[in-house]
Amino acid sequence: MCSGVAILRDKLTDPLILRHELGWRLHDRSLDHSGRFEARFMFAERRPQLPVVHDGQLVIYEWGMAFEKNRKCFRVGYCKEEGLRADNWRYLKPEPVVIPADYGFERGVWFAIVEGVRGIVVRDEQERPHVFVLTQPSTHYYQMMTKRDREPVLVEQVI
């Protein structure tokens, strides 16, 4: 899986930061506090969001959707690539997107991402867009690094 992503600050526009109040997400990644800022997006947040390139524009969408089952509410933010290929999501009319990320995060480990993470966007009954991270079975290296059996599908990159 991938429980968080970070995108370098210089890839975000000021209007986008202001419109989505992203200022609190900015962290200085540099060890010497030289101001190499990035915006971090974590799935564990109360209202998780992700940056997405959709229809050629960088936007911010809600990460996943909340569902209720047996009076318990749970959030789903991932889509298995195998399930997408098997058309399990077809009724939701998923649209492929790229999540522009420079780093991914899982179980305390940050890892570099070259181009981004593949995802899908689906719309809820009110036509609000929600983004889901595509996952695939982990490579041996990713599994050793994060102890997870699934990893994000990266654009033109294997970990």
Side-chain angles (χ1 to χ4, degrees), residues 90-102:
R90 184 172 43 172
Y91 74 100
L92 294 169
K93 300 177 185 168
E95 301 173 56
V97 293
V98 171
I99 300 158
D102 294 292

Side-chain angles (χ1 to χ4, degrees), residues 111-124:
F111 51 93
I113 297 175
V114 177
E115 289 188 39
V117 178
R118 296 201 184 278
I120 59 169
V121 167
V122 300
R123 296 187 183 275
D124 62 19

Side-chain angles (χ1 to χ4, degrees), residues 13-135:
T13 63
D14 289 338
L16 187 71
I17 291 173
L18 290 173
R19 185 172 50 245
H20 294 281
E21 300 176 348
L22 303 179
W24 66 274
R25 294 182 180 280
L26 297 176
H27 298 268
D28 189 351
R29 176 167 285 273
S30 61
L31 295 175
D32 60 356
H33 302 288
S34 59
R36 186 166 182 248
F37 285 94
E38 64 185 15
R40 293 180 181 170
F41 299 84
M42 309 303 273
F43 186 66
E45 294 166 0
R46 188 176 60 80
R47 189 170 171 256
Q49 298 174 310
L50 277 176
V52 176
V53 176
H54 191 204
D55 294 332
Q57 296 205 353
L58 181 59
V59 293
I60 305 292
Y61 288 159
E62 186 175 339
W63 185 352
M65 272 196 272
F67 297 92
E68 187 174 314
K69 186 175 184 180
N70 298 332
R71 295 186 177 178
K72 289 188 177 181
C73 189
F74 62 96
R75 175 169 283 279
V76 175
Y78 304 91
C79 169
K80 290 183 178 181
E81 188 177 44
E82 312 88 274
L84 186 66
R85 273 195 243 119
D87 277 345
N88 295 348
W89 289 65
R90 184 172 43 172
Y91 74 100
L92 294 169
K93 300 177 185 168
E95 301 173 56
V97 293
V98 171
I99 300 158
D102 294 292
Y103 299 95
F105 181 80
E106 183 59 47
R107 290 200 171 172
V109 177
W110 284 100
F111 51 93
I113 297 175
V114 177
E115 289 188 39
V117 178
R118 296 201 184 278
I120 59 169
V121 167
V122 300
R123 296 187 183 275
D124 62 19
E125 58 277 352
Q126 281 122 19
E127 292 298 314
R128 291 178 304 204
H130 298 264
V131 62
F132 293 82
V133 173
L134 277 182
T135 66

